[in-house]
Each structure stands twice: as structure tokens, then as C-alpha cells.
Amino acid sequence: MFESGEVQAPYPQYRCPVDGEDLPLTEARITVTCERHRPHEEPPVFTVREATSADRKAIELICDRVWGETDIDCFGKAFDVLAGENLVAEVGGELAGIVSLAIDRGEQAIVMLSVYPEHQGAGIGGALVREAIARTERAGLPFVKVATTNDDIPAFYFYQRLGFVVYEVDCGTVVDHHGEVLSGFAGIPIRDEIRLRRSAC
Ligand SMILES: CC(C)(COP(=O)(O)OP(=O)(O)OC[C@H]1O[C@@H](n2cnc3c(N)ncnc32)[C@H](O)[C@@H]1OP(=O)(O)O)[C@@H](O)C(=O)NCCC(=O)NCCS
């Protein structure tokens, strides 16, 4: 985890599909292509499984790179990823992505979803969310919900493609929480929490 006062270079969260350069969040840009053009000519083979205590360090690392901590604020409260139900995707025995789940007010919440840049666009994020939906149905819960922020266009696209719909927007909550306006995807100011959900079946 970050030490107090330590200055961290922004960790690359995306990868340019044109030249393969790793991109910090604010330097990523979006483009429109046809559906035939995929980021990977040969998508990697991956597996999805429940996390075990042996995954703790790898989970801390991916949280650190995306959020700087393992406590995630959403839906008006803080969730500890390490205390959640975590599913991990692996490529070649290495952690490629994670979804962290918690039950909040009778609904399944996706507290965090992250896929490492080199593995994005290969279906891993979709597979993790589909497994979360299947678990929600098995648990008899009505909805799976997720919170994203106004800047995060890739996530907003991604969740709507998976059948999630917006049900609530908490305007200005991210600014209130941080006490300042942070720059997010492509340098867009992060202000609002956008909440989406879909039924579990
Ligand atoms: C949003 C996110 C979870 C999507 O995961 P993913 O594994 O790339 O998603 P999939 O491959 O299952 O793609 C599903 C859809 O989302 C789109 N998509 C979303 N983000 C994408 C990305 N970064 N790269 C390529 N495709 C992306 C895909 O095009 C695909 O849509 P399509 O079927 O219409 O083509 C992932 O991009 C992510 O983790 N972003 C946040 C940044 C982050 O946390 N980085 C890790 C830092 S260490």
C-alpha cells in the first residue's frame, strides 16, 4: 500500500490497442470501431475461480494499482475488498482480473471489478460479471448492482452491454468524498456516482 507522503506515478490502467503502450487513466482515449476488430487476435485462455487466502497479496496489488487501497467507497459506505467474496480470473497461473462482491441492503453489489491492461478486451471482465450474476441467482437475491463514476465511459459501456440499467445517480458525491475534483478517464473530472443494476436472471 502507499506510504503516507509518498508520491506515486500513476499506474497504467489501460493499454493502447494500436501500439501496445500502457496508459495511465488520464491519458487513455476512446475510439469507435466495428465489432470485427478485437483487441486480441488470439484471446488468452483464462479460468475463473473463488479467491483463497493465497491470493491475498495479488488482490492487494491490483487494488493498490487501481485505487491505492483495499477499501472501496460506493453506495454510500466503505467496503473492504479483502473481507468480500472475491472471484479471480487467471491467465497462465497469474492473476489477470478480479471481481469483489458484497451483499448490501439485500442486493448483490459488485464492489470492484478490474482487469489488468494486457488482458482487457479478451472477455475476462464479462466472464467475471456473468459469474457474479449466476451466484446472485443461486443466492436468491433479486438484483446485482454496481457503481461507476461519470468519467468511466468504458465501464458505463461495458455494464450496459451486460444488461445493467441506470437506477440512481448520486450527483457530486465523489467531489464531496475527496474534497476536491480528481481527474479520471481521459482527464474527465470525476464528480458523480452512477448506479446500475440488473436482475439476477
Ligand atoms: C471495464 C473492464 C472491467 C472491462 O474488462 P474486460 O476484460 O476488458 O472486458 P471484456 O473483454 O469482457 O469486454 C466486454 C466489453 O467491454 C468492452 N471494453 C470495456 N473496457 C475495455 C477495454 N479496456 N479494452 C477493451 N475492451 C473493453 C469490450 O469492447 C467489450 O465490448 P464489446 O463486446 O461490445 O466489444 C476493464 O477494462 C477494466 O478493468 N477497466 C478499469 C481499469 C482497470 O481497473 N485497470 C486495471 C489497472 S491495474
Side-chain angles (χ1 to χ4, degrees):
M1 296 296 118
F2 294 169
E3 298 297 328
S4 142
E6 190 182 344
V7 177
Q8 289 281 333
Y11 187 83
Q13 296 197 22
Y14 288 98
R15 176 167 290 192
C16 175
V18 178
D19 64 8
E21 186 189 345
D22 281 344
L23 302 167
L25 193 60
T26 55
E27 288 174 26
R29 295 293 182 272
I30 208 155
T31 191
V32 176
T33 63
C34 69
E35 63 180 338
R36 291 189 310 280
H37 290 130
R38 320 300 299 179
H40 299 272
E41 277 182 19
E42 284 190 36
V45 176
F46 64 88
T47 53
V48 172
R49 62 168 174 81
E50 270 178 34
T52 67
S53 54
D55 297 306
R56 188 184 170 97
K57 275 208 168 349
I59 293 173
E60 281 179 340
L61 185 65
I62 197 166
C63 290
D64 202 11
R65 288 176 170 182
V66 185
W67 301 93
E69 57 182 349
T70 54
D71 283 337
I72 309 289
D73 289 293
C74 53
F75 303 109
K77 63 196 252 196
F79 294 86
D80 178 3
V81 168
L82 296 174
E85 181 188 4
N86 296 322
L87 305 174
V88 296
E90 281 183 325
V91 174
E94 299 289 323
L95 187 136
I98 175 176
V99 64
S100 184
L101 306 172
I103 293 174
D104 178 51
R105 284 161 268 200
E107 296 178 352
Q108 183 77 263
I110 294 177
V111 170
M112 188 189 85
L113 171 69
S114 189
V115 176
Y116 274 126
E118 62 271 35
H119 299 305
Q120 289 171 8
I124 293 175
L128 287 167
V129 171
R130 282 189 197 91
E131 181 56 32
I133 294 167
R135 279 164 187 257
T136 307
E137 185 178 16
R138 289 203 292 275
L141 299 170
F143 291 108
V144 190
K145 63 184 179 183
V146 67
T148 184
T149 47
N150 61 288
D151 62 301
D152 198 344
I153 311 302
F156 195 53
Y157 169 97
F158 170 83
Y159 287 115
Q160 290 187 89
R161 290 269 292 146
L162 289 168
F164 287 74
V165 296
V166 175
Y167 71 94
E168 199 166 57
V169 179
D170 194 352
C171 293
T173 190
V174 186
V175 182
D176 294 344
H177 180 74
H178 291 284
E180 61 179 326
V181 181
L182 302 176
S183 284
F185 182 81
I188 298 169
I190 312 173
R191 297 180 179 280
D192 315 312
E193 183 175 301
I194 299 173
R195 297 173 184 156
L196 304 99
R197 71 181 169 198
R198 59 155 283 164
S199 74
C201 46

